[in-house]
Amino acid sequence: MRAPDPRPLGGRRVRLRRFLADACHLALSTTLWLGGTLLVTLGTILAVVILAADARLPILFAHLDNLASHYLAADAARRAEFDLQLVGLTGALALLFVVARLPAFAARMRRELSRKDEQ
């Protein structure tokens, strides 16, 4: 009587390792891509604010001081409304960047994962 062939189990392990490696690669790449998209969003907001101040720091800080004093003087309902608008505009801008960058990211992931299958 022959002992069972260990290769099918080894093949399953190789496939499982490859699947886990691909999943980890995809999770890390997606996290980094989303982090980069968030940084692009925040940088765009900062650039718009700087451009609104004619790229002069004293004017920028004067505007920020004015905004901060109005925010602190406002009641809770107005603060909540401002916060909601700020989050909504930031989310919309982030969504715009996600939609614009998603096809290139998907193509890169397909290319990278298909290269791993060929090796």
Side-chain angles (χ1 to χ4, degrees):
M1 207 166 170
R2 246 196 256 187
D5 189 11
R7 283 183 289 180
L9 182 59
R12 285 188 198 135
R13 285 185 182 162
V14 168
R15 284 193 303 271
L16 179 62
R17 282 185 180 179
R18 180 172 292 166
F19 174 76
L20 289 176
D22 287 348
C24 288
H25 176 70
L26 187 61
L28 287 172
S29 295
T30 303
T31 303
L32 290 171
W33 180 77
L34 286 172
T37 302
L38 180 62
L39 288 175
V40 167
T41 301
L42 295 175
T44 301
I45 292 170
L46 180 62
V48 167
V49 169
I50 289 172
L51 286 175
D54 292 333
R56 290 187 272 171
L57 287 179
I59 295 174
L60 172 68
F61 287 119
H63 282 305
L64 290 176
D65 181 49
N66 186 28
L67 180 64
S69 63
H70 280 89
Y71 183 82
L72 293 174
D75 60 347
R78 297 238 184 226
R79 284 186 189 183
E81 182 181 347
F82 176 77
D83 293 344
L84 187 62
Q85 288 176 352
L86 188 63
V87 168
L89 287 173
T90 304
L93 186 61
L95 183 64
L96 178 72
F97 283 124
V98 164
V99 168
R101 296 181 70 207
L102 189 60
F105 175 71
R108 191 183 89 208
M109 285 296 100
R110 276 192 212 107
R111 199 172 49 247
E112 288 178 4
L113 292 176
S114 68
R115 270 194 224 136
K116 286 182 181 180
D117 289 339
E118 292 172 359
Q119 293 175 355

